[in-house]
Amino acid sequence: EDDVRKFVIRREVTPKNADKKPYTKAPKIQRLVTPRTLMHKRRLVTVKKRQQEKSREAAAEYAQLLAMRQKEQRERKEELRRRRSSASRNSVSKQ
């Protein structure tokens, strides 16, 4: 593979001090977009999407579990109320 740094356009700089000899400067090289970097980026995105989907499914499952437990708790409370009210009716009728 070719080294990109070899093909950068350099500019010559003359120093303010006349005693020193001129030197060249090159701009900073941006990160190259290679097939490998694209592949890595694509993989990261798919992993991220997969994780989001997994977490969304887990949240839905947990919400379903909570709803079921709340329903059971509501039914238990209702049953207790029915028992109490029937017990109090029975005690009133006996007197």
Side-chain angles (χ1 to χ4, degrees), residues 20-70:
K20 294 181 179 175
K21 61 182 183 181
Y23 58 95
T24 58
K25 271 187 146 181
K28 290 204 173 184
I29 302 168
Q30 287 186 334
R31 212 171 272 126
L32 286 177
V33 180
T34 61
R36 188 176 184 186
T37 58
L38 290 174
M39 180 186 66
H40 287 168
K41 185 176 180 180
R42 198 169 41 243
R43 184 178 182 282
L44 284 174
V45 169
T46 55
V47 166
K48 196 173 182 181
K49 281 184 183 176
R50 203 178 304 138
Q51 187 59 38
Q52 286 174 342
E53 186 62 35
K54 188 177 173 185
S55 110
R56 197 177 296 125
E57 287 173 3
E61 191 178 320
Y62 182 67
Q64 197 175 13
L65 178 73
L66 279 181
M68 188 182 71
R69 285 183 181 171
Q70 283 179 337

Side-chain angles (χ1 to χ4, degrees), residues 1-9 29-30 32:
E1 272 185 52
D2 294 326
D3 188 10
V4 184
R5 291 172 290 186
K6 290 179 186 172
F7 303 103
V8 171
I9 300 170
I29 302 168
Q30 287 186 334
L32 286 177

